[in-house]
Amino acid sequence: MAFERPIPSRLTLLRLRNQERLYRSIKKTVEDARNATIQRIRAIIPKLESARKSVYEELAGSLYCLRPLFRG
């Protein structure tokens, strides 16, 4: 004969329901924050790429001007 677990009390069921609701709320908040962070990062990437190109072009121009000094 298998042992059966006792039926949980009404208070236990309410507590478990509240815990589940809290867990789902926290999970949704974390997912929303994660998605917002990903969106911010995606928005920053083009700006960083533009800045990288600008710096590269500026350095390339500076090196072109300095090239005669290094030919010695």
Side-chain angles (χ1 to χ4, degrees):
M1 186 165 137
F3 291 105
E4 294 183 22
R5 293 188 337 179
I7 298 172
S9 69
R10 189 166 191 272
L11 286 176
T12 301
L13 292 174
L14 288 172
R15 183 177 51 82
L16 291 173
R17 190 180 325 153
N18 287 337
Q19 284 178 347
E20 181 184 12
R21 190 177 300 130
L22 179 62
Y23 170 79
R24 288 179 191 261
S25 173
I26 291 171
K27 183 179 175 186
K28 184 176 181 341
T29 300
V30 169
E31 286 175 358
D32 289 349
R34 177 183 169 272
N35 291 336
T37 301
I38 289 171
Q39 287 177 349
R40 279 191 233 117
I41 289 171
R42 285 185 179 153
I44 290 172
I45 289 173
K47 294 175 186 175
L48 292 174
E49 184 64 22
S50 174
R52 184 195 64 79
K53 285 180 184 177
S54 173
V55 168
Y56 174 81
E57 290 169 358
E58 194 171 321
L59 284 175
S62 298
L63 290 175
Y64 182 77
C65 292
L66 294 174
R67 186 174 286 163
L69 297 175
F70 293 110
R71 288 189 179 172

